[in-house]
Amino acid sequence: MSAPARLASTEAPSLGVFGRLARRRKRRDRMMTAVLLVAVILALVPIILILIEVIRRGIGAMNWEFLTSTQIFSQRREGGGYLNGLVGTLYMVTIATLVAVPLGVGSATYVVEYKDARLVPFIQFFTDVMTGVPSIFIGLYIYTLLVQGNIGLSVGFSTLAGGLALSLLMIPIVARSSEEVLRLVPDDLRNAAYGLGARRWQVVTQIVLPTARSGLITGSMLAIGRAAGETAPLLLTALGAFTVVPQLVNAPQSALPLIIYNEARGPFEAAHARAWAGALELMLLVLLVTIVARAIGRGTEIEQ
Amino acid sequence: MSDTRETETASREIDLTNEAQSEAVAAGHDPSPAPIPTEPERPAEVETERPVVISTHDMEVFYGSFRAVEPVNMDFKAREITALIGPSGCGKSTVLRCFNRMNDLIATARVNGEVRYHGENIYDPSVDPVEIRRRVGMVFQKPNPFPKSIYENVAWGAKINGAASGKAEMDELVQNALENAALWDEVKDKLGESGYSLSGGQQQRLCIARAIATSPDVVLMDEPASALDPIATLRIEELMLELKKSYSIIIVTHNMQQAARVSDKTAFFNVKLDEDGMRTGRLVEYTDTDQLFTSPSEEETEDYITGRFG
Amino acid sequence: MTAARDDDRPLARLPLSSARSSSADRWFRWLLAAAGASVLLILATMLISTSIDSWPVFQKEGFGFMTGTTWDPGTSRTEVTGEYGALSFIVGTLVTSGIALVIAVPLAIGTAMYLTHVASRRVKNPLTYAIELLAAVPSVVYGLWGLLFFVPVVLRPAMDLIAQTLGSFIPFLAGPVVTYNYFAAGVVLSIMILPIITAVTREVMAKTPDSEIQAAYGLGATRWEMLRFIVLPRARPGIIGATMLGLGRALGETIAVAMLIGGSKQIPDTIFLGGQSMAGIIAVTFQEAAPENVKALIGVGVVLFVITVFVNMVARAIVMLTGGRVTGDASI
């Protein structure tokens, strides 16, 4: 098909050679727009399907007993709940947050406020690398280090091991988002603070960090949401438990994702039903954290 | 315009004469009455009564190995407004930032020569820059209040320097600063509100209050009104004339009329371009404002103020 | 006016050394530097600790660890008695990730194009948000949903269909078909990596200079022509970077894949038969593994780590070269 040398106007409703080309191009444009629309629809279908199924099947099995009792020892039977998992998740995520947020925010503060330090490019690079580390590998690492006890001290499968594994997952997320937020604090404010005779630590802790506070919280909460949903590292560090476990060390701990994983893989209907309810519970937890995080972030942008 | 200036000059001299008298009495001898001048020029005796607060001695600024400002020798006296003017790139802001060692914050910046504050070289290695910055305050071009309440904005600088012990003292300090910055009446009922709730001109006055809350005796101002509308600008200029009674003020401005309105002395800086396009600043002329604008001694100065370039 | 003035006080108040509270400054800096350095320390010890632990297995198998297909763990507490060839798991990881990319990348490009240049402003934000919501779904929920609903109900019929039609002349698309296989894992994996590829592609496409777009329209181009000849070529390097980021994410994904890939230790002839991934074999067999088996699994982890980190580093390098670091939460 030879095309004429001149571009035809797409608005021209004319006949003849130019008209035919224009109509063809117009058709193709419409077709491709449809293709793009199909792509978007295909991209959206899964989230809709997931939400529908999780809500539908989860609601059915979720009841007061589910939320407040711990697991029964047989997957085959009905009854019991995932309370031990919920407690374990909250327990370990709290530990993870206590470790990851200071380290992540501290690292980001160093990178932004002391940006000419020699260590900074390395920290940035390796933080990026750390975001790509597979979560199961983090579990293996904590296993060799603390459960097996390569460095001499062993805590066994435990809440602490699980919490630390989750913290390693969170640190790069917190560090990256904190770095972005701290960069947004205008230099003007720092200059004004230095100009008043403040020392560096005063400028950073009393001016820069408070200004960035809402963004820092948002970033940390998004990391928390991510950690709450993790399964793989916990398989190797917390192991799982059937009861509520208050001990920090030397006792395996349960977690919501762990229970869901185990119950879903078995062949029992009762277990499957509970797993859907557990998934709903987990997603509500993650969604809650995500929504709160974004609300905090949107509500107070850094003012100019 | 010139009438106002003469009256101002006259009233300044009366103040100074009174002060000179009391100082002389304190020193133990009879003061000779200072003659009321018929010309706008200030008589020599009155000038020597005011101490030099900041003086520079062959002060140069380097960025790395590149010299950005050629040696500058200037004296700034107490309770006097000096304007630094010149085309863009002439280094006037850089020079200003030398006086409170803000250039220290730039990694490659280096200052040679001496800058003396009350006779002591502030660039001596044993000197703590933090102390300098408390005593030489700074106001920036764009108003930059902290994201804190109005009260906190003013109080913070004073607080970290340990200025007030206890709430009552701090309250008084904040009120004084806001009064001196001509802002108190407008904000006294809303001290707890955010600094950002104020208009641009008010924010700048808040920044001025913040700067004087640390009890400096010199206030540096880097184009303080260039981001403000004309009315707000006028208020800032009026405020400067008030502040002059207590502080020595050094202001960088690209607005010659502002310099003429407000300052006692003016320094004109010019920029030199070398082959690589790098700009070096140079102090061309530094004298009484009246003289600089009516009969400058350098041709460059005259070219600038008559608008032939810049 | 009651402003205090320091005229008369000389600078003798300045401490002769600046030791006053710049020690506070120094402590502060050290504290922050330690926080930053902890990242370096953790990564270094990660690699070291796991490599040391798995060394005996590497020593015994040599390169056979990565090229052998027999995975027959022993039960010794002290020696390495089993045979450990992890190739089938390596293949499993790579093939499922490949399937995921084949599905996700075109979808992501199309979606990104739509969101940046076709969608009206009203629709754009909710749509973007909805896609990013995919990233917030935990991996185990994807696994559960895939395992108990999506794969048996939606995918299985599709798999049968493909095997019967295309499978008759494309060998790796042929039957027999089991429900949980490479394909199932790959499809669900594609849903999981869609948000990050879309997010990065969107950012890259949004950077197309407006002047070029206007120039194209001014010459009478249709929207599709503008997208195809202006936006797409410029976005190509960024798309490559986005793809690699998605690949990195897919390689490391454990739970959903483990639940859907079938669990066979052999390399299947078709994507409709089951297999296992590197992360999967670790997740599934770890808890009952004997000490020597554990070492081997750690070795698998090391291999996975090296491959994944390498892919991620290259990906970020590409994305950085084509416009800034990867931002946003969907990207993490």
Side-chain angles (χ1 to χ4, degrees), chain A residues 78-102:
Chain A
E78 286 190 1
Y82 286 5
L83 184 66
N84 46 323
L86 182 62
V87 169
T89 291
L90 293 176
Y91 196 173
M92 287 190 284
V93 166
T94 304
I95 294 176
T97 306
L98 290 175
V99 172
V101 169

Side-chain angles (χ1 to χ4, degrees), chain B residues 10-234:
Chain B
S11 63
R12 266 204 307 268
E13 285 148 48
I14 290 172
D15 281 350
L16 294 163
T17 311
N18 288 337
E19 256 194 72
Q21 285 186 332
S22 34
E23 274 175 14
V25 165
H29 57 268
D30 263 341
S32 47
I36 310 283
T38 49
E39 305 151 314
E41 280 183 38
R42 213 168 296 124
E45 304 104 79
V46 181
E47 281 212 345
T48 57
E49 299 296 353
R50 272 181 300 152
V52 169
V53 181
I54 291 185
S55 59
T56 75
H57 305 262
D58 291 333
M59 179 188 85
E60 307 174 277
V61 182
F62 286 81
Y63 289 117
S65 58
F66 166 69
R67 184 166 72 171
V69 176
E70 289 184 16
V72 168
N73 288 287
M74 300 176 76
D75 286 345
F76 301 96
K77 295 201 171 63
R79 296 181 293 279
E80 169 182 87
I81 301 183
T82 307
L84 310 183
I85 63 172
S88 72
C90 68
K92 45 193 201 287
S93 285
T94 308
V95 165
L96 191 76
R97 283 201 310 266
C98 289
F99 301 144
N100 63 350
R101 288 187 64 168
M102 281 296 272
N103 281 330
D104 285 12
L105 299 177
I106 301 173
T108 56
R110 204 169 32 100
V111 173
N112 282 359
E114 289 190 352
V115 176
R116 296 198 193 136
Y117 174 76
H118 291 291
E120 296 195 41
N121 180 17
I122 66 175
Y123 280 96
D124 189 275
S126 67
V127 166
D128 190 356
V130 161
E131 179 67 21
I132 297 294
R133 294 184 193 135
R134 185 182 77 69
R135 301 167 71 158
V136 177
M138 189 163 214
V139 176
F140 301 82
Q141 179 173 350
K142 192 158 119 17
N144 53 7
F146 299 130
K148 296 174 183 286
S149 69
I150 293 173
Y151 183 96
E152 271 303 308
N153 259 284
V154 179
W156 188 75
K159 206 180 346 176
I160 56 170
N161 282 302
S165 52
K167 183 148 193 321
E169 239 185 272
M170 184 59 86
D171 284 352
E172 194 183 323
L173 195 150
V174 169
Q175 181 170 342
N176 278 338
L178 286 169
E179 280 173 348
N180 293 344
L183 191 59
W184 173 250
D185 287 331
E186 292 164 57
V187 301
K188 63 180 177 219
D189 297 323
K190 50 176 186 167
L191 290 177
E193 283 186 31
S194 161
Y196 296 120
S197 64
L198 302 175
S199 73
Q202 289 173 320
Q203 283 186 20
Q204 191 65 305
R205 277 180 280 145
L206 179 62
C207 293
I208 293 175
R210 179 177 67 181
I212 62 183
T214 61
S215 309
D217 55 352
V218 180
V219 178
L220 309 175
M221 299 195 182
D222 194 346
E223 305 207 35
S226 64
L228 305 176
D229 63 75
I231 296 181
T233 300
L234 198 58

Side-chain angles (χ1 to χ4, degrees), chain C residues 229-253:
Chain C
F229 296 115
I230 306 286
V231 175
L232 202 54
R234 268 190 169 265
R236 193 161 302 158
I239 293 177
I240 295 179
T243 305
M244 295 198 71
L245 277 175
L247 175 62
R249 182 77 195 271
L251 292 173
E253 176 48 47

